[in-house]
Amino acid sequence: MQVQQPSKLIKVLIVDDHPIVRQGISQLIDQEPDFDTCGQASSAQQALDLMEVYAPDILLVDISLDGVSGLELIKMLKVRYHMVPVLVLSMHDETLYAERALRSGAKGYVMKQEATEKVLIAIRQVLRGDLYLSERMQGKILQRVLNGDEGGLSPIDLLSDRELEVFRLIGHGYATGDIARELMRSVKTVETHRAHLKDKLGLKNAAELTRFAVQWAEREQQS
Amino acid sequence: MQVQQPSKLIKVLIVDDHPIVRQGISQLIDQEPDFDTCGQASSAQQALDLMEVYAPDILLVDISLDGVSGLELIKMLKVRYHMVPVLVLSMHDETLYAERALRSGAKGYVMKQEATEKVLIAIRQVLRGDLYLSERMQGKILQRVLNGDEGGLSPIDLLSDRELEVFRLIGHGYATGDIARELMRSVKTVETHRAHLKDKLGLKNAAELTRFAVQWAEREQQS
DNA sequence: AGGCCACATCAGGGAATCCCTGATGGCAAA
DNA sequence: TTTGCCATCAGGGATTCCCTGATGTGGCCT
């Protein structure tokens, strides 16, 4: 209706496989005076097609897409359109995917649980060239980096050989006593290794450690 | 703007913990001439409060809420407001939750992956007093009933609603005490649920239970 | 109406574990 | 040599695990 700033609208491309979510984001974008939803994609392939059609200024991408995943899409976008920033907007827990997303080339990560204003704040921050992460997530990463200046990519690289061995066994469903017997060491020793694993990986308790180990073990087998 | 049918608008109450999703659904509802979003709730408790305030004609409820789950909310609604139909609108695969939702008292199940028109069709169908399920899901259930094949394939189907809830929390890295606090139940109760989970799923100890739960939770989120 | 069974809730108690502090010796880099 | 990481283990209180057993409710079958 109001044709006051026809030239400088910031074009946003939305990639999400849930139509309802796309509609919600779209409305959120369009009610900002300087933003415009230039297109919506429900798959990675469609997103790449629309890049050519609309030449957007920023992308909002969901992690879980049908077929090619959001993370893979981000990697492809990084190669072909490295100047266009990508903000991940996902329902998945940020502690699981935020770092992975940034390493794939995304400039920020917002959970759908967050208030809608956070999304707009994140978009503007990313457009300025900054990264966006929740304070909680920033603290988590910062703490890990300060504990041991890792130039490497994965916190797994920080583990000693013994620790990695224990970590792998945890991921395969071994209890503490099982591991002690397997390695022919004291239960107390295994407990110490587990404590160090929690420290190095920034985990809160045994439940989180087991969860992380199982997830890692699954992915390790595939690669 | 157009004030033509001020008297007989159908009031819809939306329950979802994702603000963006609520906004999307709300817009979808409001652009229908005879529908009106009378309120939005982000939790089960808030939903129950708003029932008194707005007396809606229908509810759209998400399965995965913080705190009290969507299934539990539906059961409570069934007791207190059995005349108000509930339509489940969830991102989770219908093959996992549709039947469970209907047994809890819901009148229909729509996935967020579906086109937005499907949501409106489902709402109108539920308001007429019918049930709504996707054709695919209807066929699946019909086939199972006709075969007399009541024993599902996955042992997960054996779990009660409460057990499944605990199972999911385990898969998300919650310790026993965390789960007890989350559900506001005794630690002893949670321990009993865990014991039943081990029995029903044929698992040897807590480590195996956690491993299985984590693996299942991962796959569940992606579908 | 009565019986049966699944479900959800909780308790007691011994074994295992978690989680903290702290210790020892080895080895390698600063 | 000092510093730091590594691997090993212990003590001890808190928590969880894992067994047996109990209570009430609600649905279903006869």
Side-chain angles (χ1 to χ4, degrees), chain B residues 23-43:
Chain B
Q23 186 153 357
I25 302 172
S26 176
Q27 200 207 5
L28 177 69
I29 300 295
D30 291 340
Q31 72 191 13
E32 292 293 296
D34 52 341
F35 287 168
D36 174 48
T37 302
C38 70
Q40 301 185 6
S42 61
S43 69

Side-chain angles (χ1 to χ4, degrees), chain B:
Chain B
M1 298 308 174
Q2 74 256 30
V3 199
Q4 295 175 349
Q5 286 189 327
S7 58
K8 302 265 276 183
L9 284 182
I10 293 168
K11 288 178 288 181
V12 182
L13 178 60
I14 299 169
V15 188
D16 197 306
D17 60 337
H18 295 167
I20 292 171
V21 176
R22 287 202 303 273
Q23 186 153 357
I25 302 172
S26 176
Q27 200 207 5
L28 177 69
I29 300 295
D30 291 340
Q31 72 191 13
E32 292 293 296
D34 52 341
F35 287 168
D36 174 48
T37 302
C38 70
Q40 301 185 6
S42 61
S43 69
Q45 184 54 56
Q46 201 181 347
L48 292 172
D49 294 345
L50 293 183
M51 285 300 292
E52 298 296 332
V53 178
Y54 297 117
D57 300 300
I58 184 173
L59 281 89
L60 300 188
V61 176
D62 187 16
I63 289 283
S64 52
L65 301 173
D66 298 332
V68 179
S69 78
L71 288 181
E72 282 186 273
L73 170 62
I74 293 170
K75 287 181 200 164
M76 289 188 272
L77 290 167
K78 186 187 181 184
V79 175
R80 294 202 228 169
Y81 310 95
H82 54 89
M83 71 297 286
V84 183
V86 174
L87 177 63
V88 173
L89 185 55
S90 170
M91 65 190 171
H92 295 102
D93 193 302
E94 55 190 1
T95 58
L96 285 176
Y97 283 99
E99 223 176 321
R100 207 174 282 273
L102 294 193
R103 250 184 272 119
S104 294
K107 298 300 182 191
Y109 192 104
V110 188
M111 286 195 291
K112 288 178 184 168
Q113 283 86 348
E114 297 283 357
T116 52
E117 310 96 62
K118 288 284 176 86
V119 180
L120 295 172
I121 291 173
I123 292 177
R124 297 191 185 280
Q125 190 159 325
V126 166
L127 282 170
R128 280 201 308 272
D130 297 332
L131 294 179
Y132 178 87
L133 274 184
S134 71
E135 291 187 4
R136 172 168 161 259
M137 200 57 210
Q138 287 180 39
K140 218 174 169 75
I141 289 182
L142 191 62
Q143 190 179 14
R144 245 237 344 267
V145 172
L146 290 182
N147 286 351
D149 196 23
E150 206 55 37
L153 301 175
S154 167
I156 302 288
D157 297 338
L158 292 175
L159 304 183
S160 71
D161 292 344
R162 192 55 128 186
E163 284 160 357
L164 184 62
E165 207 174 352
V166 172
F167 187 66
R168 181 190 288 108
L169 291 174
I170 295 172
H172 282 57
Y174 283 59
T176 301
D178 298 336
I179 299 173
R181 276 185 292 280
E182 177 81 15
L183 302 180
M184 294 192 294
R185 291 294 177 276
S186 159
V187 167
K188 282 296 187 180
T189 300
V190 178
E191 289 181 359
T192 300
H193 289 314
R194 294 184 59 125
H196 289 159
L197 285 171
K198 283 195 302 172
D199 290 345
K200 290 187 176 180
L201 301 177
L203 301 169
K204 193 168 90 268
N205 54 33
E208 285 190 352
L209 172 59
T210 304
R211 178 165 128 99
F212 189 29
V214 169
Q215 289 174 339
W216 183 83
E218 273 205 317
R219 296 202 178 84
E220 191 223 13
Q221 276 209 324
Q222 287 166 4
S223 69

